[in-house]
Amino acid sequence: MMAMNNNQVITKRDLNNISWRYILGSQLNWNYERMMSSGYLYGILPVLQKLYGNDDKELQDMLRTHNQFFNTNAIFGNLIMGIDVAIEEENGYKSKNTIVALKTALMGSLAGVGDSMFHVIWGTIFGSIAGTLAQSGSVVGCIIWIIANIALLFGRAALLPLGYKQGVKLVTTLKDKLAAFTDAATVLGITVIGALIPSVINATVPFIYKHNGVKLVIQDTLDQILPALVPVLLVALTYWMLGNKKLNSTKVIWIILILSIVLSAFGILA
């Protein structure tokens, strides 16, 4: 669905305007009744006024339509809005039912892909690298994190004009490519985390077993089995607890904190 017609009324300035309006307001009024609908309506409002401003009845109806339930990945919401604007500019008020169906169809599928790509993978890769450098006292870690988030912000802003120009074709064309990219990025994220475990998590077993003049350094034995075995086991334990439905991240943090203090007090863990 391309928004290229002789009656084109939406300008590049309009697209940039609603893109940044949505970025700044998409989750300001997030609620459990309609989720992100108010933010979506706030973002697209200037376009609705431009397209339906001459008919109060149509404008009010479209305002109510866009204030219905909407919930997706905040970043990919820009892409959905771009496609929405293209269709409404092309077909006007008669596209109302199409828009409702479009938003319903896209918000769920893009939510899963977007959350995996941006909330998990992006933050994991750049956050881990930045955090590791920062721990070593390098200011480069801070700079990397700032640049990564600025790039994500402006990349998000560019998604709305892209959705407007390419329309539904963009989603159908890139569906398989997005899935493949997500899988590849997931593997990369796991690799980064795995590589950072021995350098970020400093946990050893200081306990030394002594009997009849024989001394056994437990940590040396563990290192012969697998270097950084204790950090790996701690990460595996944490990962398992996070997957437990009865636990959340806050409870896991407290468990790890208490466990570390107790084991350290008994000289088992350092």
Side-chain angles (χ1 to χ4, degrees):
M1 179 69 66
M2 299 287 288
M4 301 295 292
N5 56 76
N6 295 328
N7 298 317
Q8 185 172 352
V9 294
I10 305 302
T11 65
K12 184 178 180 180
R13 182 177 181 179
D14 292 329
L15 295 176
N16 290 331
N17 179 29
I18 64 173
S19 183
W20 284 103
R21 282 173 65 95
Y22 179 73
I23 289 173
L24 296 175
S26 60
Q27 299 191 75
L28 290 180
N29 194 32
W30 198 96
N31 62 84
Y32 286 101
E33 181 182 359
R34 295 187 300 273
M35 299 296 180
M36 301 165 65
S37 67
S38 298
Y40 191 96
L41 175 58
Y42 173 75
I44 201 173
L45 182 58
V47 165
L48 298 182
Q49 292 173 329
K50 197 167 188 178
L51 293 177
Y52 311 108
N54 294 327
D55 191 319
D56 289 342
K57 184 177 180 180
E58 288 187 1
L59 176 60
Q60 291 174 15
D61 192 27
M62 292 306 294
L63 291 175
R64 286 190 290 267
T65 298
H66 282 297
N67 202 27
Q68 294 176 4
F69 181 91
F70 182 78
N71 186 37
T72 190
N73 172 264
I75 294 174
F76 271 140
N78 287 67
L79 183 66
I80 295 175
M81 186 176 292
I83 299 172
D84 176 353
V85 171
I87 294 176
E88 290 197 54
E89 182 188 30
E90 182 78 25
N91 300 310
Y93 182 70
K94 64 181 180 181
S95 65
K96 172 184 171 182
N97 293 333
T98 303
I99 293 304
V100 173
L102 174 81
K103 291 169 66 176
T104 302
L106 292 183
M107 65 181 181
S109 57
L110 290 182
V113 176
D115 287 349
S116 298
M117 288 176 59
F118 303 115
H119 293 327
V120 179
I121 298 171
W122 187 276
T124 298
I125 294 175
F126 289 101
S128 299
I129 296 173
T132 303
L133 291 172
Q135 278 189 327
S136 65
S138 174
V139 71
V140 176
C142 180
I143 295 174
I144 287 176
W145 186 240
I146 292 174
I147 292 175
N149 281 278
I150 290 176
L152 188 61
L153 178 64
F154 282 91
R156 176 183 176 183
L159 282 178
L160 195 147
L162 180 63
Y164 173 79
K165 292 177 182 178
Q166 299 297 324
V168 179
K169 181 181 69 174
L170 178 69
V171 178
T172 56
T173 302
L174 295 182
K175 183 178 180 181
D176 295 334
K177 294 182 180 179
L178 282 174
F181 177 79
T182 303
D183 292 340
T186 301
V187 173
L188 176 60
I190 294 173
T191 303
V192 170
I193 291 298
L196 289 175
I197 288 175
S199 59
V200 174
I201 302 176
N202 298 314
T204 59
V205 179
F207 182 75
I208 300 177
Y209 176 77
K210 297 179 180 179
H211 182 71
N212 295 331
V214 177
K215 185 170 69 173
L216 178 63
V217 181
I218 303 299
Q219 185 59 51
D220 291 344
T221 304
L222 293 176
D223 288 339
Q224 291 177 2
I225 298 172
L226 178 69
L229 177 61
V230 176
V232 169
L233 291 177
L234 287 175
V235 171
L237 174 63
T238 304
Y239 185 79
W240 176 80
M241 288 192 293
L242 288 172
N244 192 312
K245 294 182 179 180
K246 296 181 180 180
L247 298 175
N248 54 40
S249 57
T250 303
K251 291 180 180 179
V252 170
I253 290 173
W254 277 107
I255 291 173
I256 293 296
L257 182 61
I258 295 171
L259 187 64
S260 300
I261 294 173
V262 172
L263 293 178
S264 178
F266 282 97
I268 299 175
L269 195 68

